[in-house]
Amino acid sequence: MYDVIIVGARCAGASTALLLARQGVRVLLADRVVFPSDTVSTHLLHPAGVAHLRSWGLLDALLASGCPKIESIAFQPAPELTLRAAPYPAADGSTLVLAPRRTKLDLLLVEAATAAGATVREGVSFQRPVWQDGRVVGAEFRDRDGRAFAEQAALLIGTDGRNSEVAKAVGAQVLRDEGNFGCQYYGYWSGLPDNGAQVFVGQGKAVLAFPTHDGSHLVLVGWPRERFEEVKRDLERHFLDEVEALAPEIRGYLTEENRTARIVGSGDMANRIRESAGPGWVLAGDAAVAKDAVTAQGIGDAFAQAQSLADLLPAALAAGPAAVDEATAAHVIGRDRDGANGFETTLAFATGGGGDALGPIFRAIEDRPELISMFFGVYAGRVAMGEFAAAVGAAG
Ligand SMILES: Cc1cc2nc3c(=O)[nH]c(=O)nc-3n(C[C@H](O)[C@H](O)[C@H](O)COP(=O)(O)OP(=O)(O)OC[C@H]3O[C@@H](n4cnc5c(N)ncnc54)[C@H](O)[C@@H]3O)c2cc1C
């Protein structure tokens, strides 16, 4: 008998597991993969996400694994205009941005969950919830040899990503589906100079470059969704052509010799909020709220949700099922309050409202690093677009 079963052991699941286990909650953390394991996702972690790792005592280990510090962002909305400033600070005032490989970050979280006392089962797939009197009271799994087993718990936490099988199995309704507007592909190359994070945008497209583990840079190209089929047919050519067009200063480094991995990506950039809590179950991370990756908020959001669940659940688990359902409902209300701005600004960027449309504003703030940093806060979901526009207006 566990207190909670968590399905999915990456940013949302492993961090929830470690925070609960540290408070003495009996946790089963299950994933169908075996860590270290990669996943299709780039790695930008805004200061608020890094601040969570710091407060959980994991930042030093991540830096020691060779994750480079990113202390400035250069945003180029037009060839002759580069806005460079420090990232917008997290609530604790820190401005550090990181871009850890998911193989390293997710492994660090799983190891920390294990060290905290969670039972971690890798290579096991969630099959279905166990129900009793209309309430989830456990889950059935299957291991890689086809052996089925069931475990009981007071709460099932679905952190199994945007195609969540837990969400389907508990019948979580889609409450908002705002569409799918983009696609992104990325690869890794060594030898690029360290210029912090670089973002080049134009005509609805974007090129990003940032330093990550192993002395490599991740270089990403984002296109509008209508280009997805065409891009996929000749990925290499389209990728390099787009870098040449938007970021010619980077293109020269993207040689076969410097390349350290093949180009991968995704056309699933759905912006969707699911019903996220019910009797004996709760969803977190992408399983609950999926967003276009254009604003790179998913990992930090997952951390924030893990912290919220860890703040609310231990007392509720001790008090019984009704208190658990109240706690998960309160978690969802807080998540929606804190995450509303990030969801709306992501939609604005994903539909072209955050880049080209802001051209005149970008020119006005070229020499105002504090306003540039505030714009990075919009991008990170920490500042509302209206608040930024008002600050620009007030600055004349
Ligand atoms: C191309 C792309 C680029 C991105 N770039 C960024 C970025 O730069 N910054 C950022 O913050 N976010 C980015 N994101 C978003 C980010 O990847 C997600 O928000 C984040 O991974 C969500 O974490 P999660 O733990 O909720 O889910 P996931 O990371 O999707 O993990 C879900 C886990 O559940 C497991 N699982 C699934 N089904 C089962 C099952 N039936 N049984 C057992 N286990 C199961 C999976 O194996 C997986 O390990 C990007 C996404 C994409 C697609």
Side-chain angles (χ1 to χ4, degrees):
M1 176 74 184
Y2 293 95
D3 296 313
V4 301
I5 295 172
I6 303 178
V7 179
R10 294 190 188 269
C11 327
S15 46
T16 304
L18 87 91
L19 294 171
L20 289 175
R22 281 178 180 175
Q23 297 177 79
V25 173
R26 292 167 298 173
V27 177
L28 172 62
L29 176 64
D31 201 300
R32 63 182 166 206
V33 304
V34 174
F35 295 92
S37 159
D38 211 349
T39 184
V40 175
S41 166
T42 68
H43 328 312
L44 261 192
L45 194 52
H46 296 292
V50 175
H52 280 297
L53 292 176
R54 185 181 294 107
S55 78
W56 301 341
L58 300 179
L59 182 57
D60 288 347
L62 187 59
L63 293 173
S65 72
C67 185
K69 291 183 176 179
I70 298 174
E71 286 165 318
S72 75
I73 303 176
F75 180 79
Q76 198 180 101
E80 71 292 353
L81 181 63
T82 300
L83 307 177
R84 184 181 285 278
Y88 188 76
D92 69 359
S94 59
T95 57
L96 183 63
V97 166
L98 295 176
R101 287 292 298 255
R102 292 293 298 264
T103 42
K104 310 271 190 191
L105 175 67
D106 296 350
L107 178 65
L108 179 75
L109 293 168
V110 169
E111 287 179 345
T114 307
T119 301
V120 179
R121 300 241 4 214
E122 300 170 59
V124 300
S125 292
F126 165 81
Q127 301 295 300
R128 62 189 68 82
V130 177
W131 295 91
Q132 195 176 76
D133 302 328
R135 180 175 188 82
V136 175
V137 293
E140 289 178 27
F141 294 90
R142 192 171 290 278
D143 70 16
R144 288 188 167 178
D145 297 321
R147 281 189 296 262
F149 64 97
E151 298 289 355
Q152 287 186 303
L155 181 67
L156 174 63
I157 304 182
T159 47
D160 51 339
R162 51 179 51 227
N163 298 314
S164 172
E165 287 168 27
V166 174
K168 286 176 212 143
V170 297
Q173 304 293 309
V174 173
L175 302 179
R176 269 183 85 177
D177 189 351
E178 298 294 342
N180 189 3
F181 304 104
C183 61
Q184 295 191 355
Y185 281 90
Y186 60 94
Y188 301 89
W189 284 265
S190 61
L192 275 78
D194 185 359
N195 290 324
Q198 294 172 271
V199 184
F200 308 81
V201 298
Q203 296 160 357
K205 292 169 281 185
V207 171
L208 268 75
F210 42 81
T212 183
H213 279 94
D214 305 323
S216 288
H217 270 66
L218 181 145
V219 180
L220 171 145
V221 179
W223 288 271
R225 188 67 172 69
E226 54 268 24
R227 296 283 310 278
F228 182 50
E229 295 303 329
E230 177 201 353
V231 163
K232 267 195 315 182
R233 273 196 296 276
D234 192 353
L235 181 56
E236 189 99 355
R237 181 175 66 81
H238 286 293
F239 188 98
L240 295 175
D241 283 357
E242 216 59 73
V243 177
E244 175 76 49
L246 279 180
E249 58 266 59
I250 286 180
R251 172 64 184 91
Y253 295 101
L254 307 193
T255 61
E256 266 315 299
E257 268 175 2
N258 288 353
R259 187 213 286 257
T260 56
R262 72 189 177 91
I263 297 171
V264 294
S266 171
D268 180 0
M269 296 281 143
N271 295 280
R272 181 180 51 223
I273 301 178
R274 288 193 177 99
E275 180 188 13
S276 304
W281 61 268
V282 65
L283 305 176
D286 276 14
V289 181
K291 291 194 288 197
D292 193 305
V294 64
T295 49
Q297 293 176 9
I299 301 169
D301 284 357
F303 288 172
Q305 291 172 38
Q307 186 63 64
S308 155
L309 287 170
D311 291 343
L312 291 164
L313 282 175
L317 286 161
V324 168
D325 294 350
E326 276 170 30
T328 55
H331 159 77
V332 173
I333 290 168
R335 180 207 69 194
D336 287 346
R337 181 195 56 229
D338 299 343
N341 181 52
F343 195 81
E344 301 311 328
T345 51
T346 297
L347 278 180
F349 278 93
T351 52
D356 299 343
L358 292 175
I361 287 189
F362 292 142
R363 283 180 204 287
I365 66 172
E366 188 178 0
D367 301 318
R368 303 293 300 268
E370 76 287 4
L371 291 174
I372 298 172
S373 176
M374 197 174 182
F375 170 68
F376 297 153
V378 175
Y379 183 73
R382 299 245 316 131
V383 177
M385 199 77 92
E387 195 186 330
F388 168 64
V392 173

